[in-house]
């Protein structure tokens, strides 16, 4: 999948910069053409000569040199993908806020290709709210996170923050190009803009505890990628999960709580033709969130819960004639009856029913088994991969073409 691809590798000043040599070698062996950008700090950890020798191209560390100007705009247009690995906390902040003081950031701001960033730093730096906010901001721009891995760090601590292993980074790029639409994929959703909610929501009890569920976001991400492959623009609102998507034409908005997901959905809904509400949204949240950790005491603990806003009902009961809303129902008993009641109450166009009691279905699995229910009929499907399930759902949505 990487043969013939044009890849920019941006290297910033982390001890993990030595792994850039392995990344470049892997890309070249796979048949990719590689251009390397380095920050000045990166050269303290690995020499430009090493990376230019492996990539068979000059390494760029400045927009202008004694020999002339390195055209960052031209380079940004040249690439099929831009990979920044390792990305330090400083580099993440500069990318997120457009601080253009290096060739690495200048090319990023000029790039029209998909951008992947693979952070590397110590555990406390990775978990700091400032870093988390910068990562979320970069993802909200449509960039793709290659998540950190856990293990021994340069500080001697153990935890999250290690640069993803080179083979994992290369596999992520392989997966990205393997998922790209080709001429055999139907473009029957071209012109549609689809809002998709995915993953769980977390409702905080105190600074360290929350109410949540076992949703991973796999089904919603499969829907987003399948819809994008079929020509749709996708607004993906994604609850807390370690998963992300690398597909083009998907704008990801990370959220944590039901109210954050509700606000994001309402903001984007007027610009969308369809909504597929796949997220496992918490129905209730604590009435109050403790400012300090709740201490264990003798006796029972009683929590007072209040209702969260109902995203499906709000969108379904306020949709326009040319908008479609698809809901999900996870039921353990009386599935069809309960799902149809939900469909009618929330004014949905159809609803996807599944059950956690079906072997290989629902949370955490790569497969699912569903029934599609509308006001007139129930259509049942066998157990399939979640990507195949996504296409079954989208087939039904594509058949129901909105009237302009």
């Amino acid at each position: 999948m990487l043969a013939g691809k044009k890849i920019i590798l941006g290297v910033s000043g982390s001890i993990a910069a030595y792994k850039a040599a392995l990344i470049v070698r892997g890309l070249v062996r796979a048949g990719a053409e590689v251009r390397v950008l380095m920050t000045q700090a990166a050269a303290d950890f690995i020499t430009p000569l090493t990376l230019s020798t492996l990539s068979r191209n000059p390494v760029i560390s400045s927009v202008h040199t004694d020999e002339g100007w390195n055209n960052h705009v031209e380079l940004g247009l040249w690439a099929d993908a831009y990979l920044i690995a390792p990305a330090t906390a400083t580099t993440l902040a500069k990318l997120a806020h457009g601080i253009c003081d290096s060739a690495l950031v200048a090319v990023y701001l000029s790039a029209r290709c998909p951008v992947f960033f693979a952070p590397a730093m110590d555990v406390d730096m990775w978990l700091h709210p400032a870093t988390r906010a910068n990562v979320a901001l970069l993802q909200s721009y449509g960039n793709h996170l290659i998540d950190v891995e856990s293990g021994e760090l340069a500080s001697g601590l153990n935890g999250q923050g290690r640069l993803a292993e080179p083979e994992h980074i290369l596999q992520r790029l392989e997966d990205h190009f393997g998922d790209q639409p080709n001429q055999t994929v139907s473009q029957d959703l071209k012109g549609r803009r689809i809002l998709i909610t995915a993953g769980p929501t977390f409702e905080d009890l105190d600074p360290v505890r929350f109410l949540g569920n076992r949703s991973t976001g796999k089904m919603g991400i499969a829907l987003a990628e399948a819809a994008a492959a079929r020509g749709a623009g996708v607004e993906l609102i994604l609850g807390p999960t370690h998963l992300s998507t690398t597909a083009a034409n998907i704008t990801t908005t990370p959220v944590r709580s039901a109210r954050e997901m509700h606000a994001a959905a309402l903001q984007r809904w007027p610009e969308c033709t369809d909504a597929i509400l796949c997220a496992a949204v918490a129905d209730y949240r604590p009435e109050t969130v403790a400012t300090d950790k709740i201490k264990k005491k003798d006796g029972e603990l009683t929590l007072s819960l209040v209702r969260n806003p109902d995203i499906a009902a709000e969108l379904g009961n306020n949709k326009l004639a040319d908008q479609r809303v698809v809901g999900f129902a996870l039921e353990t008993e009386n599935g069809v009856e309960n799902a149809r009641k939900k469909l009618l109450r929330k004014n949905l166009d159809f609803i996807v029913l599944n059950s956690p009691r079906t072997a290989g279905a629902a949370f955490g699995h790569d497969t699912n088994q569903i029934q599609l229910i509308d006001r007139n009929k129930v259509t049942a499907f066998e157990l399939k991969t979640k990507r195949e399930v996504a296409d079954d759902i989208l087939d039904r949505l594509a058949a129901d073409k909105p009237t302009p």
Side-chain angles (χ1 to χ4, degrees):
M1 294 299 175
L2 292 172
K5 300 300 182 184
K6 300 172 181 177
I7 309 294
I8 300 171
L9 174 64
V11 185
S12 62
S14 162
I15 186 65
Y18 77 91
K19 293 185 179 180
L22 301 175
I23 295 171
V24 172
R25 173 174 282 182
L27 289 169
V28 172
R29 281 181 172 174
E33 183 178 354
V34 184
R35 303 286 181 89
V36 178
L37 306 174
M38 296 179 70
T39 64
Q40 295 294 333
D44 292 334
F45 298 95
I46 186 169
T47 67
L49 178 61
T50 298
L51 297 180
S52 65
T53 301
L54 292 172
S55 67
R56 304 166 191 166
N57 281 304
V59 169
I60 297 172
S61 57
S62 177
V63 173
H64 52 81
T65 66
D66 293 339
E67 288 75 32
W69 180 50
N70 290 315
N71 192 329
H72 60 278
V73 175
E74 183 178 282
L75 190 57
L77 298 177
W78 169 83
D80 295 309
Y82 184 5
L83 167 65
I84 302 170
T88 62
T90 297
T91 296
L92 291 177
K94 290 178 179 181
L95 294 169
H97 297 281
I99 301 174
C100 191
D101 63 350
S102 68
L104 187 152
V105 180
V107 172
Y108 163 72
L109 293 176
S110 304
R112 294 185 183 178
C113 60
V115 176
F116 299 80
F117 63 102
M121 64 198 73
D122 207 67
V123 58
D124 295 305
M125 297 172 68
W126 173 245
L127 297 176
H128 194 281
T131 304
R132 309 308 302 152
N134 287 331
V135 169
L137 195 56
L138 285 170
Q139 289 182 291
S140 75
Y141 298 155
N143 302 305
H144 307 296
L145 169 66
I146 301 178
D147 211 350
V148 298
E149 297 181 0
S150 293
E152 186 177 357
L153 304 170
S155 65
L157 298 175
N158 271 276
Q160 294 179 305
R162 285 172 60 95
L163 178 70
E165 291 301 320
E167 59 268 26
H168 299 162
I169 292 173
L170 295 175
Q171 185 60 56
R172 184 66 175 276
L173 292 177
E174 290 268 9
D175 291 344
H176 165 74
F177 289 113
D179 284 342
Q180 295 306 293
N182 55 53
Q183 293 181 346
T184 65
V185 177
S186 169
Q187 297 294 287
D188 54 355
L189 294 175
K190 192 172 183 63
R192 309 272 280 261
R193 188 153 197 86
I194 303 178
L195 169 68
I196 297 175
T197 64
T201 62
F202 289 172
E203 309 299 329
D204 290 331
L205 292 168
D206 62 21
V208 298
R209 301 182 181 94
F210 60 86
L211 298 177
N213 58 60
R214 297 184 179 90
S215 174
T216 61
K218 287 183 178 181
M219 188 68 249
I221 289 173
L223 278 162
E225 292 178 343
R230 292 168 69 156
V234 178
E235 293 284 348
L236 176 64
I237 303 176
L238 185 61
T241 174
H242 68 285
L243 301 177
S244 60
T245 176
T246 61
N249 301 325
I250 299 175
T251 300
T252 301
T253 301
V255 297
R256 178 177 174 83
S257 69
R259 285 183 291 179
E260 289 177 356
M261 185 171 284
H262 173 258
L266 290 188
Q267 182 182 11
R268 287 154 183 75
W269 179 228
E271 303 170 358
C272 295
T273 56
D274 312 271
I276 305 176
L277 305 176
C278 184
V281 184
D283 294 324
Y284 295 89
R285 68 180 185 275
E287 186 174 22
T288 59
V289 178
T291 56
D292 297 312
K293 179 183 174 183
I294 300 171
K295 303 297 289 184
K296 181 170 62 177
K297 299 178 181 179
D298 293 336
E300 297 179 350
L301 173 67
T302 300
L303 295 175
S304 179
L305 304 178
V306 295
R307 282 289 301 271
N308 273 322
D310 191 323
I311 300 171
E314 196 152 350
L315 269 56
N317 289 314
N318 292 283
K319 64 182 179 180
L320 301 176
D322 59 349
Q323 290 179 308
R324 302 290 179 265
V325 180
V326 179
F328 268 68
L330 184 70
E331 301 288 346
T332 58
E333 58 182 356
N334 301 323
V336 172
E337 179 184 351
N338 289 333
R340 183 160 276 143
K341 287 179 180 178
K342 184 176 182 179
L343 177 143
L344 297 173
R345 184 173 68 254
K346 301 185 181 187
N347 194 32
L348 308 177
D349 291 278
F350 65 93
I351 195 164
V352 182
L353 171 65
N354 61 351
S355 171
R357 292 180 176 172
T358 301
F363 294 157
H365 295 285
D366 293 323
T367 53
N368 203 357
Q369 185 172 18
I370 65 165
Q371 298 178 70
L372 297 184
I373 301 170
D374 60 23
R375 285 166 173 75
N376 301 312
K377 65 180 179 180
V378 176
T379 305
F381 297 84
E382 68 272 17
L383 188 73
K384 299 183 179 183
T385 68
K386 286 188 172 176
R387 183 58 181 259
E388 291 171 328
V389 171
D391 278 316
D392 288 334
I393 295 168
L394 294 172
D395 287 344
R396 174 66 177 80
L397 185 65
D400 188 9
K401 297 179 181 179
T403 303

